[in-house]
Amino acid sequence: ICVEPIPEIFRMLCANRTAECLCAAASDIDGSAEFVVLEKGKETGSHLKRGTVGGSSSSGEKTVIVRTVDIGKYLTEKNLIEFDFVSIDIEGGELEIFEHILKSGISVHVVAMELNMDFIRMDYRMSKYDYELSAQVGADRIYRRKKLS
């Protein structure tokens, strides 16, 4: 499943992927939220807005309202409860979303997440869920579950 909240990017995603595509932001709640969209060509840094509310924070950015989906609930309702590999790149909320997925009862064997925090803190939090660092590729840290069920 591919999840993308920006409609223009979502259309490209659907045209280039055979997987199910969902036009929403992965979250721990169903609803809506402010989303910072960067200027055209730099959309990969777009993200859910954290902290201050309203307006644009700098030139080349705009804030829009996007649909949010409780990704754990969405996956369990579709009976998607076990994954060999998950990649999460949401510009700063990767670990929180992954923790929410795990707490929703979903099993993930290997996960790749962009490093947006101190790697020691990230490794420690992942170890609490029985994951260990397997590799780092660029800014992505790849963790595997120590004990597969």
Side-chain angles (χ1 to χ4, degrees):
I1 183 166
C2 301
V3 181
E4 172 57 55
I6 304 171
E8 298 80 19
I9 304 293
F10 178 74
R11 284 190 287 280
M12 289 188 288
L13 182 68
C14 290
N16 291 291
R17 295 287 186 263
T18 57
E20 177 183 344
C21 296
L22 175 63
C23 189
S27 180
D28 59 351
I29 58 168
D30 290 323
S32 61
E34 289 186 310
F35 195 85
V36 177
V37 180
L38 301 183
E39 65 186 69
K40 190 160 182 70
K42 296 182 181 177
E43 293 92 344
T44 58
S46 298
H47 56 276
L48 280 173
K49 190 166 187 172
R50 295 169 191 83
T52 61
V53 177
S56 294
S57 54
S58 68
S59 65
E61 293 182 0
K62 66 179 178 178
T63 301
V64 298
I65 302 298
V66 298
R67 173 182 169 216
T68 61
V69 171
D70 178 328
I71 196 66
K73 183 174 101 176
Y74 181 86
L75 294 171
T76 55
E77 286 176 351
K78 291 190 155 283
N79 201 32
L80 298 171
I81 56 171
E82 185 170 359
F83 293 88
D84 292 326
F85 178 77
V86 170
S87 176
I88 305 172
D89 184 355
I90 57 174
E91 303 306 322
E94 290 83 359
L95 190 53
E96 289 76 13
I97 287 297
F98 185 63
E99 288 174 328
H100 176 67
I101 287 170
L102 294 176
K103 289 174 183 173
S104 298
I106 296 164
S107 174
V108 177
H109 299 287
V110 176
V111 60
M113 293 186 285
E114 187 175 50
L115 179 62
N116 285 302
M117 66 168 60
D118 171 26
F119 71 90
I120 294 171
R121 188 166 49 118
M122 188 171 187
D123 292 349
Y124 172 74
R125 284 176 65 184
M126 289 298 289
S127 72
K128 289 172 42 176
Y129 295 99
D130 206 28
Y131 283 82
E132 64 186 357
L133 182 65
S134 180
Q136 180 156 345
V137 180
D140 291 340
R141 289 178 79 77
I142 302 170
Y143 296 90
R144 67 176 177 79
R145 201 170 61 210
K146 292 178 186 176
K147 186 176 180 181
L148 299 179
S149 52

